[in-house]
Amino acid sequence: MTSRGVMTSLHVQCRTVPLLATLVVVVIYGFIFLSNDPVSAKPVRLAWRIQQDDYSPGVTGFEKKDSSYHDKGSERSQITSEDPLGHVTKKENLLFLKTHKCGTSSIVNLYYLFGLRRRSNFVMHRGSANHYLDLAAVQRRPLLAPRPGEHYNIQCQHGTFYPNEEHKIMPKETTLYATIIRSTVSHFKSAFSFFGGESSMRKRLGASASMDDLIRRYLEDLPDPAKGGLPINMFVNNIAADLGFKRFSNSMGQVSLDEKIAAFISHLDQEMDLVMITDRMDESLVLLKEHLGWKLSDIVYLKRMVSKKPKVEIAEDVQALIKRYNVIDDRIFEHFSAKFDQHIETLGREYVAEQLKEFQETRERFEDKCFDKDKVVKLPYNSVSWAISDWGKKDNLACTFLQARDVILTKVMAEIQSSQDYTIPNSGKQFTMKETVDKIRRDFDEGVDPV
């Protein structure tokens, strides 16, 4: 071959090699892009959390590459949204961190009702003890898989907030992260009575001791936060515990409590799209509706339990003591109470007021039809409610569903999800509330007014 021929051959090869290399790179990057598409890749990343052979029938759908978050086969479980104002970014799925003693039982039931009607998939553990979600223990307690080809839509159980684990299950791109808090004194009073603090202190101080004395003596026996103490238990700073303060605090090392609280609040600001407030429940639900693109009828709830105990006023000095020892919860409440008002400003105060008025009127009409208010029934935990009306028992079984205990409804939703829509029983026993569930779904599918 001549030198000219050699040079021509080398020139062609030199031009061909980069071209082939470029094609290879394009193919590789295309594959990587498709594999890491946030819409389709998330379920695959979850495969290690779900033990496929633990579920029946069929596969979980996690291992399939076409099991995307927007797969056509999962349209029935999508939480769709509308944006009439364009003031907030709508999310299609919901993570609601259920905090203790914040009036959550009633609103969790409405989440279950919403998901039941739309055949949504819920994040919960497999098995009977599935009312408390522990994402730090999913290898010991695997999650109940969503239906094949679908993904999780709603998480609404009690559990400590572990954001890194949550992100893998409920991607922030498509999920509204929400929780609920309560004013410090009101929350402490509720927890102190419900979890046995009051009864325990009465054994020490006598049945005639005032609530002020019971609370004062209990708190004064705790480590003082002003002197380096950090009391966290079922009564004190319990909301902070649910939101994951202990793990977060331990990761910060030796810094002051004030610095830890400030950093924790900043962390929650980044994680939570909406922090609802028990003391402003109806407004909170209106804001939730706007963030999810739901209808007013989707957030209607029934007050499940009303305590029979008379309300007791707490002395101002004892209120100050409660806030002093619940310093983490109190700082969280003050911050997110102010941010709650910012959410309302964003949507427009007049608009929120109009929606609130319409919602409360709708809820009251529904409540009047659901209940026979001439009859009072006893409920667990020394509480009472009105009896369900004949209309609520026969015509609109959503009344019966919303008044059920949330632990029962957790069982119902788990049975539905594990059986792939009540098609195959987990055992020889009858499904829980099957007739109620069937009628609610049938009414919704046929366009019957849910309220």
Side-chain angles (χ1 to χ4, degrees), residues 236-247:
V236 182
N237 294 305
N238 179 244
I239 291 175
D242 283 339
L243 295 175
F245 182 80
K246 284 185 178 180
R247 176 189 274 192

Side-chain angles (χ1 to χ4, degrees), residues 274-288:
L274 176 65
V275 176
M276 301 161 66
I277 296 177
T278 304
D279 315 68
R280 302 170 70 175
M281 180 66 81
D282 288 355
E283 286 176 283
S284 293
L285 288 170
V286 168
L287 292 185
L288 181 83

